[in-house]
Amino acid sequence: DFAGATNGKNPLGSLLQASNGKLYGMTNAGGANDMGVLFQYDPTTSTYTAKFDFDGTNGKYPQYTNLIELTPIINTSSVSISNCAGSSISVPYAIAGYYGAGNIFTAQLSDATGSFASPVNIGNLTSTSSGSINALIPSNTPSGNAYRIRVVSSSPVIIGSTNGSNITMHALPGVTANARATTVCIGATVTLTGGGATSYVWSGAVTDGIGFVPSSTNTYTVTGTDGNNCSNTATTTVNVTPLPVANAGADYTICPLGSVSITASGNGTFAWSPSAGLSDTTTSNPVANPTVTTTYTLTVNNGCGTATDSMTITLGNSPSVFAGNNAAICPDGSTTLNASGSSGTYAWSPSAGLSSASISNPVANPSVTTTYTVTLNASCGTATGTVMVTVNSTPTVTISGNTTICTGTT
């Protein structure tokens, strides 16, 4: 409905059915400025849209004017005529005619002969007006001096003109990153050189062809530039091997016929000596069961030198104990037992008559003759011994009858 200020009023002239299937016309009054509107009507959806309000500056009160449809065109403007593959390029273009909402302008690159039989899309811009597309030339574009660029649209589909002159494309140089040695010992000098271009710039403050001493493993990037001022990159990794470190692990004490797993560490190959009592002399964790106390030496070799360290496995003794000498006491008497032997804890039995059953020298005052057994508990087993404490009987004294003697006799 023509509703005055909203959609215009007093439609005049013929309707134009455009290539998009919609109808276009004008009114000579109404609209936001009451000077008429340009409107669109979509017969498929029965939708009316006021497209433009005449304001005096751009015309007013159109009278019996018939609309015409301009054929959309795209003119691709001049671009840089010498470019490197992989570089950015600005593609300006100018348009005429109507382009629908959501239209996409796409810049396309021809092949090296200027043919667009298989164009390469290099950039796009969503727009309905003239502008410039920021494009990117593919890095694998081969060299050639007859390339062209054009701009095409999506709504409507229009193929624009080319840029109008040949474009030279320079392929990227095949840059290489070279190292005299890619694995070195720490402190060694390394020389890196670039290839495939005319000048080179390295990362990591490295100068092309000048030796330096890397402190750790690192990947270096070289940027090579050729005579066309086109650049490409390459990388190489220099592995730095540190000096060897050896740690033979902790010392151990084992019992006779016992064994222990050694836990060593290092950054290279392992070699143990002596080999006696070891399950393997080339591993970091051999099982050791020496028959005598032994000091083992570990040598670690990583190609940049050797390092050594040692550890000792002490062979403990089987425990022994001496319960002490037998003793005799009078009734109600006592004696001190004196056991001795290997390091460990003591246990006496029976405990009757003892001041303590868990020390080496308890006081014994048994009421009857007793044999005491002492058990020594040590890290490598137990040992026992015995001692007897004899309780003597109380002596009996007897005096028989009276006796008379003369003076001077006995």
Side-chain angles (χ1 to χ4, degrees):
D1 294 329
F2 294 100
T6 303
N7 294 327
K9 61 184 178 180
N10 303 332
L12 296 174
S14 301
L15 291 175
L16 168 69
Q17 185 169 22
S19 58
N20 62 2
K22 297 177 176 59
L23 300 176
Y24 293 86
M26 294 184 292
T27 72
N28 71 347
N33 305 302
D34 199 22
M35 295 181 182
V37 300
L38 171 68
F39 64 85
Q40 170 191 282
Y41 180 75
D42 187 344
T44 61
T45 61
S46 299
T47 302
Y48 175 95
T49 305
K51 303 293 289 184
F52 179 76
D53 289 283
F54 292 102
D55 58 6
T57 302
N58 295 307
K60 61 181 179 179
Y61 311 129
Q63 297 289 328
Y64 304 103
T65 300
N66 293 325
L67 297 173
I68 61 173
E69 181 178 11
L70 296 177
T71 302
I73 60 173
I74 305 172
N75 289 318
T76 305
S77 305
S78 299
V79 298
S80 174
I81 61 173
S82 181
N83 302 274
C84 297
S87 64
S88 298
I89 185 172
S90 179
V91 182
Y93 65 93
I95 66 168
Y98 171 80
Y99 292 84
N103 172 71
I104 298 175
F105 291 107
T106 301
Q108 295 182 331
L109 178 68
S110 72
D111 64 16
T113 68
S115 170
F116 284 94
S118 299
V120 177
N121 295 337
I122 59 175
N124 57 66
L125 176 66
T126 300
S127 176
T128 59
S129 60
S130 301
S132 184
I133 300 172
N134 294 321
L136 180 66
I137 299 169
S139 60
N140 60 349
T141 301
S143 296
N145 56 11
Y147 283 93
R148 294 292 180 103
I149 291 177
R150 71 184 183 186
V151 174
V152 300
S153 64
S154 63
S155 179
V157 176
I158 300 296
I159 297 177
S161 64
T162 71
N163 60 290
S165 60
N166 289 337
I167 303 170
T168 298
M169 295 292 180
H170 303 288
L172 296 180
V175 176
T176 59
N178 310 304
R180 293 183 181 178
T182 55
T183 299
V184 298
C185 296
I186 191 167
T189 298
V190 174
T191 301
L192 302 180
T193 57
T198 56
S199 63
Y200 307 93
V201 176
W202 287 87
S203 64
V206 174
T207 301
D208 191 70
I210 303 299
F212 68 101
V213 179
S215 59
S216 61
T217 296
N218 199 4
T219 297
Y220 299 90
T221 299
V222 61
T223 301
T225 304
D226 64 11
N228 296 314
N229 203 33
C230 296
S231 300
N232 205 354
T233 62
T235 61
T236 186
T237 299
V238 177
N239 299 289
V240 178
T241 303
L243 295 176
V245 176
N247 183 350
D251 295 335
Y252 294 95
T253 297
I254 63 174
C255 298
L257 302 180
S259 64
V260 66
S261 179
I262 299 174
T263 303
S265 61
N267 56 338
T269 60
F270 293 80
W272 291 92
S273 66
S275 60
L278 295 180
S279 61
D280 192 331
T281 60
T282 62
T283 185
S284 63
N285 56 346
V287 175
N289 59 346
T291 57
V292 295
T293 295
T294 304
T295 296
Y296 290 103
T297 298
L298 170 65
T299 300
V300 176
N301 188 329
N302 69 349
C304 290
T306 59
T308 60
D309 191 28
S310 61
M311 56 85 64
T312 299
I313 297 179
T314 301
L315 191 67
N317 296 319
S318 297
S320 62
V321 67
F322 174 60
N325 296 318
N326 295 333
I329 61 173
C330 296
D332 297 324
S334 64
T335 185
T336 300
L337 305 182
N338 288 289
S340 60
S342 305
S343 177
T345 60
Y346 292 84
W348 292 89
S349 67
S351 60
L354 296 179
S355 61
S356 174
S358 58
I359 60 176
S360 63
N361 56 345
V363 174
N365 60 346
S367 58
V368 295
T369 296
T370 303
T371 297
Y372 290 101
T373 299
V374 62
T375 300
L376 175 67
N377 296 295
S379 59
C380 287
T382 61
T384 60
T386 59
V387 62
M388 178 182 290
V389 176
T390 301
V391 179
N392 293 326
S393 301
T394 301
T396 301
V397 177
T398 303
I399 300 175
S400 20
N402 294 328
T403 302
T404 300
I405 62 173
C406 295
T407 302
T409 62
T410 59

